[in-house]
Amino acid sequence: MPEFFQTTSGIRSLFQPLERTHALAPAFFDGQVQARLFADDIVSPQAGFLVYNSRVLCAGVPGADFLGEMKDRFASDLIPAHRQKGNDAFVFLLPSGSSPNALEEMFSGYQLHHGTRQYYETVTFGPQPELSLPKGFSLHWITPEFLSSDFVGLEAVREEMCSERSSIDDFLAHSFGVCPVCENEVAGWCMSEYNTGTRCEIGIATLEKHQRKGIATLVSRVFL
């Protein structure tokens, strides 16, 4: 089971079906993020795992031998290293229509949760309804000045910035985001993830006590 530090066109083509819906794949192959890539063969790969922080992209159809090797690698290396960083879960992302049976076999003895990820594509920007922040709220782009302010909740913002970037400086150099603030407390965020070329994913959250006020909708429109 090779672990690759340089990739081949054959390995990238294996992950091609995932590139449209998971920006991590093109961001990795374009050299924008450093991740760990495992595949069953360097010349003619049939299956692979791309591991970046808590996210794992699964490509192809893995055979029993490869699954066994990856099971050992997760148990001996990836899971312990993940826990040392304070993380207790991975999110495995499979191609549309694929079966999770292989993963269930791989992780027998672990707690698994199944779900479906929804995708939305905006093709045109039509008239938008008028939205305004509730009284006491303000919007702030994530800048060094914002991070050095006295707002409550900035530690959570910094943690989120580093969830998909290697450092605060790395985020400020290659990503961007905006935070709603209620009086003196950060109420959430909307940040870019896996920036590559002209695309990125969006990580968005609103504190529970500020939800159902239209804040996430407004902040995401400002972000776009």
Side-chain angles (χ1 to χ4, degrees):
M1 176 194 60
E3 178 178 351
F4 297 100
F5 299 95
Q6 294 183 340
T7 60
T8 67
S9 59
I11 296 174
R12 178 159 191 171
S13 64
L14 182 68
F15 284 84
Q16 197 75 40
L18 293 163
E19 291 203 12
R20 187 183 69 84
T21 51
H22 301 286
L24 170 59
F28 169 74
F29 288 108
D30 291 344
Q32 301 302 315
V33 298
Q34 294 183 354
R36 299 181 70 175
L37 174 64
F38 304 88
D40 55 356
D41 186 87
I42 193 171
V43 177
S44 302
Q46 301 301 308
F49 290 83
L50 181 60
V51 184
Y52 184 72
N53 292 341
S54 296
R55 186 173 297 200
V56 182
L57 292 188
C58 310
V61 181
D65 290 344
F66 182 51
L67 286 175
E69 292 175 356
M70 285 304 302
K71 180 178 182 178
D72 293 341
R73 178 59 70 96
F74 269 95
S76 64
D77 177 10
L78 296 172
I79 291 176
H82 202 52
R83 285 176 173 165
Q84 285 182 356
K85 296 179 181 179
N87 299 314
D88 61 359
F90 285 101
V91 177
F92 282 79
L93 302 165
L94 283 67
S96 177
S98 60
S99 170
N101 293 343
L103 291 182
E104 291 177 352
E105 180 179 340
M106 241 180 89
F107 293 104
S108 59
Y110 293 90
Q111 187 175 12
L112 302 179
H113 302 276
H114 300 283
T116 302
R117 187 179 183 184
Q118 301 294 327
Y119 301 96
Y120 302 89
E121 293 187 16
T122 301
V123 293
T124 58
F125 284 96
Q128 301 291 342
E130 291 294 328
L131 289 175
S132 60
L133 285 170
K135 185 178 179 180
F137 278 81
S138 57
L139 287 182
H140 301 263
W141 290 100
I142 297 175
T143 63
E145 293 74 20
F146 173 73
L147 295 173
S148 63
S149 69
D150 60 357
F151 290 134
V152 176
L154 286 173
E155 189 56 40
V157 174
R158 296 187 188 97
E159 182 178 336
E160 178 66 15
M161 292 169 69
C162 293
S163 67
E164 310 303 339
R165 286 290 181 187
S166 61
S167 66
I168 298 295
D169 289 340
D170 186 25
F171 180 95
L172 293 172
H174 301 105
S175 299
F176 61 94
V178 61
C179 291
V181 172
C182 180
E183 297 178 350
N184 196 49
E185 180 185 36
V186 174
W189 52 73
C190 185
M191 303 186 197
S192 67
E193 299 178 348
Y194 311 118
N195 300 58
T196 180
T198 58
R199 66 177 291 193
C200 67
E201 291 187 11
I202 300 175
I204 186 167
T206 307
L207 267 63
E208 185 174 2
K209 64 181 179 180
H210 296 303
Q211 293 174 5
R212 300 295 180 183
K213 299 177 182 178
I215 294 171
T217 301
L218 178 61
V219 172
S220 63
R221 287 180 182 168
V222 171
F223 176 95
L224 292 172

